[in-house]
Amino acid sequence: MKTILLALLALASPLAVLSADVSVVIEGNDQMKFNKQAFTVKSGQTVTLLLKNVGHLPKEMMGHNLVILKEGVDKMKFAAESVKAGMAAEYVGESQKEQVIAYTRLLGPGESDTITFEAPAPGKYEYICSFLGHAGIMNGVMTVTE
């Protein structure tokens, strides 16, 4: 299974996979759910995260992204501010970027995006879909250990 996941990630971003210490695959669907509400990495690891929108509804109605928030950021306040940024900014406003560890682009049905980042200091970091109205149920936690 791990070999298959690495092969899929290699197709999405070959250089990112080669340099990653850990790879995570998360799917978003038309029921506004991530298939993974939690994952764990070690501080300092290079993390490659692949987000796939496995839904069928149009991006304008049911787009998905994945935004990993810095520790202490209020996810619902962040999501409310994201609405102001809108689709043109992929629901992450310029002024919000300082509150974010990493984020994917906004995906339509069948699309995917890969991000690579260094795992921060140990702690719990929430991630959300910041598309209009999704953050309340489409979220999870990245736990970073030593």
Side-chain angles (χ1 to χ4, degrees):
M1 182 71 155
K2 185 176 180 181
T3 304
I4 293 170
L5 290 176
L6 288 175
L8 287 172
L9 285 171
L11 292 173
S13 181
L15 295 176
V17 171
L18 291 176
S19 64
D21 294 320
V22 63
S23 299
V24 179
V25 178
I26 298 179
E27 297 176 351
N29 62 35
D30 288 342
Q31 289 72 44
M32 296 192 321
K33 301 239 179 181
F34 286 130
N35 70 327
K36 192 174 284 194
Q37 286 74 43
F39 66 93
T40 301
V41 296
K42 292 182 181 177
S43 182
Q45 282 186 312
T46 300
V47 180
T48 296
L49 187 145
L50 171 66
L51 175 66
K52 299 191 297 187
N53 182 343
V54 298
H56 301 288
L57 294 172
K59 181 178 181 175
E60 297 75 21
M61 291 175 51
M62 192 60 66
H64 298 307
N65 65 4
L66 190 144
V67 182
I68 303 172
L69 302 172
K70 289 184 177 176
E71 204 166 29
V73 173
D74 181 312
K75 71 180 174 193
M76 297 312 292
K77 184 176 176 185
F78 184 93
E81 289 294 317
S82 294
V83 173
K84 295 176 188 173
M87 189 168 257
E90 308 211 44
Y91 288 93
V92 179
E94 196 60 42
S95 64
Q96 293 181 289
K97 291 181 181 176
E98 66 188 36
Q99 300 174 63
V100 170
I101 294 168
Y103 66 97
T104 68
R105 62 187 176 82
L106 189 66
L107 305 176
E111 293 182 327
S112 62
D113 191 23
T114 302
I115 54 174
T116 300
F117 59 94
E118 183 175 317
K124 293 194 181 289
Y125 300 85
E126 293 187 283
Y127 59 89
I128 63 169
C129 174
S130 64
F131 189 84
L132 178 61
H134 289 199
I137 60 173
M138 198 169 187
N139 55 66
V141 175
M142 173 181 74
T143 301
V144 180
T145 61
E146 297 218 18

